[in-house]
Amino acid sequence: MELYCTAASSRRICQAFGDSAANERTARQWFQKFRSGDLSLCDKARTGRPQALDDEALQAAIEEDSSQTYGELARQFNTSSQTVNLHRLGKTYRLSKWVPHTLLEVHKQQRVATCLSLLSRYRRASIFNRVLTSDEN
């Protein structure tokens, strides 16, 4: 049986596997690949593909020195700075060091206390302390 791709073939693939399974161009590429004898369904290794970083090694490097920048970490792991993604580890870069992305309960309580203090100070002040007046002299 000769393998060839048509718009109808693409529609049948989408009917079987859902509307977002493949468009006509992707289906044509698959048919061409299978026609050439390559029945592999795995991606081939390509140059320029981002390397997968070891999260544990990255976490250890951050714990060792939390003041490292993206560029320094990229050089240390021999990859690009775009590949270094510490948000999935729950870290963010603030004030020249890596800190937890989520706030601890203690930090949340400190923020609430500070906000309440500022709000009560605002409410205590009389209106005359907030109004600026001047005369023509």
Side-chain angles (χ1 to χ4, degrees):
M1 176 178 158
E2 179 69 25
L3 289 176
Y4 61 94
C5 180
T6 62
S9 301
S10 177
R11 283 193 299 274
R12 285 193 295 262
I13 289 171
C14 289
Q15 283 175 344
F17 297 104
D19 289 335
S20 63
N23 59 26
E24 185 176 350
R25 182 179 173 97
T26 303
R28 284 186 188 277
Q29 289 172 348
W30 288 345
F31 276 83
Q32 183 180 6
K33 178 181 169 183
F34 296 150
R35 211 176 308 132
S36 71
D38 184 4
L39 301 178
S40 170
L41 299 176
C42 299
D43 287 335
K44 293 181 180 172
R46 294 179 270 176
T47 60
R49 198 168 198 181
Q51 299 175 356
L53 289 178
D54 182 17
D55 288 343
E56 292 174 1
L58 195 55
Q59 181 74 31
I62 291 299
E63 288 175 2
E64 181 181 321
D65 182 11
S66 66
S67 65
Q68 295 181 76
T69 63
Y70 279 108
E72 291 169 347
L73 287 169
R75 281 189 295 278
Q76 182 178 346
F77 287 98
N78 195 23
T79 187
S80 69
S81 59
Q82 289 82 13
T83 306
V84 177
N85 182 359
L86 292 167
H87 288 286
R88 70 172 178 253
L89 297 178
K91 300 283 187 182
T92 188
Y93 197 69
R94 297 281 186 257
L95 301 172
S96 301
K97 64 187 276 187
W98 293 99
V99 295
H101 186 63
T102 56
L103 291 176
L104 299 175
E105 193 61 35
V106 171
H107 299 130
K108 291 178 186 177
Q109 290 172 357
Q110 286 175 346
R111 286 187 178 192
V112 168
T114 303
C115 290
L116 289 174
S117 168
L118 291 172
L119 187 60
S120 67
R121 186 171 66 179
Y122 172 77
R123 288 183 178 156
R124 276 195 316 258
S126 73
I127 185 102
F128 297 114
N129 293 339
R130 287 183 263 151
V131 176
L132 289 175
T133 60
S134 65
D135 59 359
E136 295 178 8
N137 293 332

